[in-house]
C-alpha cells in the first residue's frame, strides 16, 4: 500500500518536460514531494532554487504539487546568469486566478518598472500583461478567468523581426508584438515567483510548473506542452 501511494504522488512528474542541452533551460520548477518544504527546487541543473515565504503546498487530484498563494506569499530565486536571456526565451507556467482587486505580479525579474528585465502581472480587470526591458514592449489583452487552471506561455525570437513576441493562453489565440531589441540584463535583480523580485505586490493565485529557457517555442511546441500537462489540472 505505501508503494502505491508513493507512485501516485510521484507518477505525474515522470511524464513532464525534462531539460536538454539544446533548450538552454535556466529554471524548471516542477513541484516536489515534500509539503513542508520552504524551498521550491530547480530541476534545470542550474541550482536556481526558490526560497518560499508564506506559501502553502497543495496537490492536484492527479498528484502534482503546486504553490498555493493568497496575495501574501511568494518564492524568490536569487539572481543568476542562467536566468538572463537576450535574443530568445520562453516562459511557461500554469496559473489559477483567485480574484484580484489591484495589480499583482505573477513573476518578475525586477523590483520596479525601471528595473523590470521581464515580468508578468495581472490587473484589477484580470487581464494578464507581459513586458520586457522595463516596459519597452508589452503584451496585453489576455483575459484570465477565475477559479480555473490556465496554461500560459510567452516566447520571443528577436530574429523574426515582426510578431516575434508571442503570448498563448491554453495554446490558443496568440497575442503578438513587434520588438527587435535584445533584452537588457538586470544582473542585480532577483526573480520573484508570485511577486516582484523585491517581494512587492504578490499575486492571489496558485502557480505550477514554472519554466524559463533561452529558446523560442513554436506554436506546435506550445500545443504539445499544453496537451502533455493538462490532465494534471483537470482541463
Amino acid at each position: 500500500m505505501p508503494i502505491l501511494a508513493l507512485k501516485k504522488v510521484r507518477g505525474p512528474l515522470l511524464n513532464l518536460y525534462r531539460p536538454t542541452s539544446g533548450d538552454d533551460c535556466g529554471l524548471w520548477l516542477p513541484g516536489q514531494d515534500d509539503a513542508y518544504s520552504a524551498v521550491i527546487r530547480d530541476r534545470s541543473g542550474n541550482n536556481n532554487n526558490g526560497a518560499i515565504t508564506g506559501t502553502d503546498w497543495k496537490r492536484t487530484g492527479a498528484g502534482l504539487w503546486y504553490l498555493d498563494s493568497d496575495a501574501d506569499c511568494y518564492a524568490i530565486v536569487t539572481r543568476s546568469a542562467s536566468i538572463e536571456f537576450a535574443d530568445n526565451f520562453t516562459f511557461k507556467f500554469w496559473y489559477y486566478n483567485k480574484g484580484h482587486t489591484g495589480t499583482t505580479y505573477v513573476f518578475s525579474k525586477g523590483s520596479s518598472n525601471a528595473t523590470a528585465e521581464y515580468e508578468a502581472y495581472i490587473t484589477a480587470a484580470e487581464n494578464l500583461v507581459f513586458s520586457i526591458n522595463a516596459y519597452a514592449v508589452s503584451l496585453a489583452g489576455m483575459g484570465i478567468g477565475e477559479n480555473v487552471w490556465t496554461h500560459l506561455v510567452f516566447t520571443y525570437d528577436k530574429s523574426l523581426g515582426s510578431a516575434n513576441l508571442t503570448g498563448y493562453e491554453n495554446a490558443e489565440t496568440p497575442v503578438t508584438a513587434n520588438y527587435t531589441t535584445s533584452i537588457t540584463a538586470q544582473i542585480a535583480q532577483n526573480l520573484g515567483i508570485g511577486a516582484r523580485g523585491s517581494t512587492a505586490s504578490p499575486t492571489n493565485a496558485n502557480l505550477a510548473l514554472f519554466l524559463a529557457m533561452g529558446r523560442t517555442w513554436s506554436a506546435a511546441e506550445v500545443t504539445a506542452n499544453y496537451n502533455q500537462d493538462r490532465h494534471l489540472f483537470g482541463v
Side-chain angles (χ1 to χ4, degrees), residues 73-152:
C73 316
Y74 46 82
I76 299 297
V77 177
T78 302
R79 54 189 178 273
S80 164
S82 56
I83 52 175
E84 305 289 348
F85 307 106
D87 298 342
N88 304 85
F89 63 69
T90 295
F91 297 98
K92 163 270 176 107
F93 56 99
W94 285 83
Y95 187 80
Y96 186 98
N97 176 19
K98 297 181 182 181
H100 292 76
T101 57
T103 297
T104 67
Y105 288 82
V106 182
F107 67 92
S108 175
K109 192 171 187 301
S111 57
S112 66
N113 289 4
T115 63
E117 182 177 339
Y118 51 79
E119 65 182 11
Y121 65 92
I122 191 165
T123 68
E126 300 191 325
N127 290 313
L128 188 69
V129 181
F130 174 79
S131 72
I132 54 178
N133 275 357
Y135 290 74
V137 63
S138 297
L139 283 178
M142 300 174 71
I144 305 298
E146 291 186 13
N147 303 317
V148 63
W149 282 103
T150 303
H151 179 265
L152 293 157

Side-chain angles (χ1 to χ4, degrees), residues 19 24-28 42-49 77-78 80-83 85 212:
D24 190 20
C25 185
L27 183 63
W28 171 221
D42 174 29
R43 309 299 184 184
S44 72
N46 292 299
N47 200 36
N48 290 320
N49 299 324
V77 177
T78 302
S80 164
S82 56
I83 52 175
F85 307 106

